[in-house]
Amino acid sequence: MARIEVPMPQMGESIAEGTVSVWRKKVGDRVERDEPIMEISTDKVDAEIPAPTAGVLAEIVVTEGQTVEVGTVVAYIETEAGAAAAAGAPAAPSEPATVPGEIPTTLPEAATGQPELTPATSADSAPAVAPAASAQVAPAVGPSGDGGPASLEERLRTRSTPLVRRIAAEHGVDVAEVRGTGRMGRVTKEDILLYVEERKRAPAPQPAAAPAGARAPTAPPQRPAQPAPSYEGDFPWEEFFQSPQHPLVQAGPNDRVEPASRMTQIIANNMVTSRRISPHVHSYFEVDYTRIDHIRGKNRRLWEEQGVKITYTHFIAWAVARALREHPKLNASYSNHEIIYRADVNLGIAVALDNGLIVPVVRNADELSLVGLAKRVNDLATRARNKQLRPDEIQGGTFTITNPGIFGTTIGFPIINQPQVAILGVGGVEMRPAVISDEYGNHAIVPRKRGYISLGYDHRLVNGADGDQFLARVKQLMETFPDQA
Amino acid sequence: MATVMKPKPEHVRLTEQGKPVTFLEAIREGIWEEMERDERVFLLGEDIGVYGGAFKVTEGMLDHFGSLRVIDTPISEIGFTGAAAGAAHLGMRPVVEMQFIDFISCAYDIITNYIATSRYRGSGGVPMVIRGPSGGGVRGGPFHSQNPEMAFFHTPGLKIVYPSTAYDAKGLIKAAIRDDDPVLFFEHKWLYRRPQVREVLPREDYVVALGKARTHREGKDLTIVTYAATVHKSVEAAEQLEREDGLSVEILDLRTLLPLDEDAIIESVRKTNRLLVVHEDTRTGGIAGEIAMRVNEKAFEWLDAPILRVTAVDAPVPYSPPLEDYFLPQTDDIVRAARHLAAY
């Protein structure tokens, strides 16, 4: 999704300016790449000027009859992804100065075929391969595509150059998040060095435990009310581990090899990182779902009327949210030998996608009723699958639930979602023989709906007793689920 | 040397007198000094004796050193170049002049097949220098303006020198004469008498080592790698860029093309991260291609922009002055390419 400049081209060595004689397209028209969009005349030639990219003509800056210097932006084209968003809005005349990428490019030379400058410009503005595919990226992994960026400008924006990528890797920076001042918004060496420098200088947040008053207006301004948990400060991560390495594996002659999507790459790095940071311990409990089934049966009609389908996941989330409030150590981060107890219970719910995984976050989950929580989770999950999540909806989680049980797994032992300290895994629920005892000491083997839940926790902070007590509390809440939740 | 009988004429005593010398005078002084220093050094070429050479580089040498050491030859480049190679085999240090370097192509066979391969074939080194005026910008047309260095760049066994300053020209011609292998020495004729290139040289004997580039101008934003006349155009461009754009441009003068001082190029690229190669030679197969490849091999991760080049266009050198100006890389072309790189 990009707004591409159309500059006045240089139609010959000595030509300094050109006149727009006719606009072949009007604002809002769709244009194909290389389709003539205007005619210009200069001292030397009259020429049709092709569109530099496919998209929608978003704005005409220079009107017919106007003469401008070579290189001046005469129009903007919104590329495919951006066009969708722009289509709805009226094409109000906008201020060119406010448009991103205000640095004038030297594109015009390319148009003339000036040999020295072609490599960087016209050389190969990679055919706009499946722009839709790259546009559908999940917000979890940033604004760029999950495959290779489709167009030259997107490639420049997210991949920049070898040097910038090397600096980015050294400092653990995602190039896409740096503001670029180069061609088409490219991140230059200066841009990324400045970014790294500023990040270093940024004041380290007060790591002290946030008491109840932390969110009051008197709180120090540098600590936002709801900071997104993140790695902070100037810990030398690159010394701790060079960015995770994924060793080369030999492919066979008939194997299919394809580049990992951006999302897969990020997951790969995050999982290695989490295992390196946190010594994982796993415990698991078996939970009896009879009580939950009973409540589901009793309220099914009521919930249908409220327009919500409530599954085991929602019951579990409800129980976990409350147990977290009672066990703050599980709703925390371990930071440079300080413990950050999170003020809010923000539950991340892992959602499997066709080609990946994303964890939308239910904020203040402990304040929601079962129905409210279910609606929120369902909404987030639906939009996660439709790739419609907003960036703030995948940030700030303080604990994560993952439910592979829906695929029938008995139980899994999940990896912690850093910088959280614990994650709950849910196993499949099925009828199992269970031993039931009555108050007189009689025992019987009966079929019961049962399933396992597991907890992966960071033993730096969470000891076995903490983890097991928390898990026991979750089990207890599930087995004695209140009628009015 | 016992053979030197006559006093040194005035026109080769400028440096002795502390006076500035032109590019051409620096080369003349260098050859003269080597002939005085080593009696095995002698000259061969067309009209170099009585006439003093088409550009007067060898003026006064016949009188001073005699006709055994300054030999006018028939118009046969392959003939006198081959004769020189034979003399070199027998322990002499011949310096051959191509009246215009364009005519070196007539000796292509003896240079590439015989001279360049001699040491490898076990026939011993061929300590000789082949020198001559090269380059355009003087309205010489296609037969008197060429830059044929790359035709020989591809030939293992040769060394190629192409200086841009009077100091380097003198130090390099002396080093070339003292070298034990064949050296092609290109003298850009546009520099021969340019007042801007005049300088006062050290009075003492000095050489400039072959195979070493020189930082002509320090900078931090981008590197221009160039040689010969375009060093000076690059300086003009760098000054304009500093004035108008606040850009700090580094200029690396290769001085010797073969062997290529790869380390110096890589070092500068690692410093500035942007590389522009400028040469007056034509584009396709010019040294820019080789340099870009070496940087790609050795410093890919240090690049913050694609490598660009400013060169002559792929055509014979035109007669027509306006066409020649268009054909040659000009200061404006360098400025434009540098701006593109800086804004990349």
Side-chain angles (χ1 to χ4, degrees):
Chain A
M1 100 167 213
R3 198 172 155 89
I4 304 300
E5 298 176 352
V6 182
M8 173 61 70
Q10 179 150 30
M11 303 302 291
E13 273 294 296
S14 58
I15 296 302
E17 48 184 30
T19 306
V20 175
S21 38
V22 178
W23 275 106
R24 293 270 194 90
K25 298 283 178 186
K26 56 184 192 299
V27 171
D29 281 359
R30 248 203 74 76
V31 297
E32 295 304 322
R33 182 159 178 255
D34 294 334
E35 185 184 6
I37 55 170
M38 61 168 169
E39 294 172 23
I40 65 164
S41 61
T42 70
D43 294 345
K44 271 189 179 168
V45 290
D46 293 339
E48 292 179 349
I49 303 304
T53 180
V56 171
L57 187 59
E59 186 189 348
I60 288 177
V61 182
V62 176
T63 52
E64 291 180 2
Q66 269 187 283
T67 302
V68 293
E69 263 185 53
V70 163
T72 306
V73 174
V74 299
Y76 290 95
I77 291 176
E78 200 90 49
T79 56
E80 305 289 349
S94 74
E95 194 63 28
T98 65
V99 169
E102 60 205 69
I103 310 296
T105 71
T106 47
L107 261 172
E109 276 92 347
T112 67
Q114 175 71 15
E116 294 87 40
L117 302 178
T118 44
T121 51
S122 70
D124 181 19
S125 33
V129 206
S134 74
Q136 286 181 359
V137 69
V141 291
S144 66
D146 60 349
S151 63
L152 173 63
E153 57 273 12
E154 197 179 344
R155 206 178 157 72
L156 272 176
R157 179 73 191 86
T158 58
R159 302 277 295 157
S160 189
T161 52
L163 177 72
V164 167
R165 287 206 295 281
R166 195 171 59 81
I167 297 172
E170 275 172 12
H171 292 89
V173 172
D174 179 358
V175 173
E177 71 196 28
V178 181
R179 203 181 92 82
T181 62
R183 289 190 63 229
M184 300 172 176
R186 184 184 79 87
V187 175
T188 64
K189 175 177 81 168
E190 287 72 26
D191 292 335
I192 193 158
L193 288 179
L194 189 70
Y195 180 89
V196 168
E197 192 57 32
E198 279 174 356
R199 201 173 60 165
K200 269 192 200 141
R201 274 205 307 266
Q206 303 303 316
R215 289 168 62 189
T218 53
Q222 73 266 33
R223 176 115 200 195
Q226 296 205 5
S230 64
Y231 311 124
E232 290 161 336
D234 53 4
F235 182 80
W237 289 103
E238 52 274 62
E239 289 169 32
F240 181 53
F241 51 76
Q242 294 296 325
S243 60
Q245 301 291 305
H246 305 285
L248 189 68
V249 177
Q250 206 60 45
N254 298 321
D255 296 346
R256 189 164 58 85
V257 178
E258 60 182 41
S261 70
R262 196 172 150 71
M263 182 183 279
T264 300
Q265 292 180 22
I266 289 174
I267 292 172
N269 286 348
N270 284 352
M271 293 303 102
V272 171
T273 302
S274 182
R275 279 288 193 183
R276 285 185 187 174
I277 293 173
S278 298
H280 283 60
V281 179
H282 289 95
S283 298
Y284 61 105
F285 277 59
E286 188 171 35
V287 175
D288 193 309
Y289 282 77
T290 310
R291 168 78 186 160
I292 288 175
D293 265 356
H294 171 70
I295 293 173
R296 281 182 85 189
K298 203 172 65 178
N299 293 306
R300 176 160 292 131
R301 181 143 318 193
L302 177 68
W303 292 336
E304 271 171 19
E305 283 168 12
Q306 289 177 287
V308 58
K309 184 167 181 287
I310 299 192
T311 64
Y312 291 145
T313 303
H314 305 128
F315 285 91
I316 296 165
W318 186 94
V320 164
R322 269 142 194 86
L324 281 174
R325 185 52 82 191
E326 296 167 13
H327 295 80
K329 235 183 179 184
L330 277 293
N331 196 54
S333 284
Y334 195 70
S335 166
N336 189 21
H337 286 315
E338 287 179 321
I339 303 162
I340 301 173
Y341 294 98
R342 298 296 180 186
D344 299 326
V345 173
N346 297 337
L347 267 192
I349 308 283
V351 176
L353 304 177
D354 289 345
N355 234 332
L357 170 69
I358 197 165
V359 185
V361 173
V362 180
R363 290 185 183 273
N364 302 112
D366 61 322
E367 296 171 7
L368 296 173
S369 69
L370 180 63
V371 170
L373 185 63
K375 281 186 168 173
R376 188 85 189 107
V377 170
N378 290 349
D379 170 54
L380 287 169
T382 306
R383 287 192 292 118
R385 294 192 185 96
N386 295 336
K387 307 183 198 305
Q388 292 167 336
L389 290 174
R390 294 191 308 271
D392 66 326
E393 289 176 327
I394 50 161
Q395 292 167 1
T398 60
F399 185 97
T400 298
I401 296 174
T402 178
N403 185 0
I406 56 173
F407 304 113
T409 183
T410 303
I411 190 59
F413 301 107
I415 295 175
I416 295 166
N417 188 5
Q418 298 290 328
Q420 300 163 17
V421 290
I423 182 167
L424 186 98
V426 180
V429 178
E430 60 189 354
M431 294 304 284
R432 288 180 193 152
V435 179
I436 302 292
S437 309
D438 70 9
E439 66 233 62
Y440 308 109
N442 300 315
H443 310 294
I445 295 177
V446 295
R448 301 279 284 200
K449 261 291 185 55
R450 289 194 157 203
Y452 292 103
I453 56 173
S454 66
L455 185 73
Y457 53 94
D458 183 343
H459 208 325
R460 290 181 306 169
L461 174 62
V462 184
N463 300 321
D466 304 319
D468 290 342
Q469 281 169 23
F470 168 78
L471 209 48
R473 177 59 177 152
V474 173
K475 171 182 162 81
Q476 186 191 32
L477 282 165
M478 288 170 69
E479 292 181 347
T480 61
F481 210 88
D483 281 314
Q484 301 298 326
Chain B
M1 293 291 150
T3 51
V4 177
M5 313 298 282
K6 300 176 187 172
K8 219 170 174 180
E10 280 298 302
H11 75 293
V12 282
R13 297 187 56 227
L14 295 171
T15 293
E16 267 178 36
Q17 296 162 356
K19 292 180 183 164
V21 295
T22 62
F23 189 79
L24 182 145
E25 286 160 349
I27 294 168
R28 181 192 287 143
E29 283 189 358
I31 297 172
W32 195 288
E33 287 174 20
E34 289 308 295
M35 291 184 77
E36 282 182 343
R37 192 186 62 79
D38 183 350
E39 61 186 359
R40 296 174 300 169
V41 178
F42 75 104
L43 313 182
L44 284 159
E46 296 158 8
D47 292 329
I48 61 166
V50 176
Y51 186 67
F55 286 85
K56 304 291 180 190
V57 172
T58 52
E59 184 162 37
M61 292 192 186
L62 176 64
D63 280 351
H64 194 79
F65 295 105
S67 59
L68 280 177
R69 296 186 69 193
V70 182
I71 303 170
D72 276 323
T73 67
I75 304 182
S76 172
E77 283 76 11
I78 190 169
F80 62 71
T81 305
H89 276 319
L90 294 175
M92 302 298 280
R93 296 258 160 180
V95 178
V96 164
E97 177 178 298
M98 298 288 160
Q99 191 162 74
F100 283 85
I101 205 72
D102 310 57
F103 311 142
I104 196 172
S105 50
C106 302
Y108 187 78
D109 171 47
I110 195 82
I111 294 171
T112 58
N113 275 321
Y114 186 82
I115 294 171
T117 59
S118 174
R119 185 180 287 284
Y120 298 97
R121 288 184 287 109
S123 307
V126 186
M128 65 181 286
V129 175
I130 301 170
R131 50 160 290 274
S134 56
V138 297
R139 314 315 187 199
F143 303 125
H144 301 90
S145 306
Q146 293 175 30
N147 285 289
E149 59 268 25
M150 292 306 285
F152 298 92
F153 185 78
H154 192 58
T155 303
L158 298 178
K159 291 176 181 168
I160 302 177
V161 175
Y162 210 153
S164 72
T165 66
Y167 178 92
D168 285 345
K170 182 171 177 181
L172 285 164
I173 189 71
K174 288 160 72 83
I177 291 170
R178 294 181 197 183
D179 198 81
D180 288 334
D181 284 298
V183 178
L184 307 190
F185 192 88
F186 287 71
E187 302 165 9
H188 201 295
K189 64 180 83 71
W190 185 75
L191 298 176
Y192 264 165
R193 294 185 168 84
R194 279 189 84 71
Q196 297 90 329
V197 184
R198 278 159 65 113
E199 58 182 311
V200 176
L201 301 182
R203 289 180 198 204
E204 59 275 14
D205 178 43
Y206 73 93
V207 293
V208 171
L210 303 183
K212 291 284 173 208
R214 176 178 53 84
T215 304
H216 190 78
R217 187 181 195 276
E218 294 257 2
K220 61 180 178 48
D221 293 332
L222 69 97
T223 297
I224 296 178
V225 170
T226 185
Y227 59 93
T230 44
V231 168
H232 301 281
K233 287 182 177 175
S234 297
V235 169
E236 283 177 22
E239 284 167 358
Q240 185 183 342
L241 288 160
E242 180 159 52
R243 214 166 44 238
E244 296 175 10
D245 301 52
L247 284 176
S248 162
V249 177
E250 177 144 309
I251 297 174
L252 190 70
D253 178 0
L254 290 173
R255 306 197 292 190
T256 300
L257 308 190
L258 200 63
L260 184 62
D261 191 353
E262 179 181 286
D263 292 346
I265 297 168
I266 301 295
E267 188 188 328
S268 185
V269 167
R270 286 170 70 112
K271 174 174 154 192
T272 67
N273 314 118
R274 288 170 157 86
L275 176 60
L276 174 65
V277 183
V278 178
H279 58 66
E280 191 187 292
D281 187 12
T282 49
R283 185 176 180 79
T284 301
I287 202 169
E290 178 63 25
I291 290 172
M293 195 62 215
R294 302 246 189 145
V295 171
N296 180 54
E297 288 166 344
K298 298 278 175 71
F300 178 71
E301 293 195 317
W302 293 93
L303 287 174
D304 197 29
I307 301 166
L308 297 187
R309 58 182 161 177
V310 173
T311 70
V313 300
D314 285 330
V317 186
Y319 281 114
S320 146
L323 274 183
E324 187 182 23
D325 288 344
Y326 174 81
F327 165 89
L328 291 173
Q330 303 293 355
T331 303
D332 282 352
D333 301 322
I334 301 170
V335 166
R336 197 165 52 232
R339 282 184 175 146
H340 180 86
L341 267 189
Y344 191 85

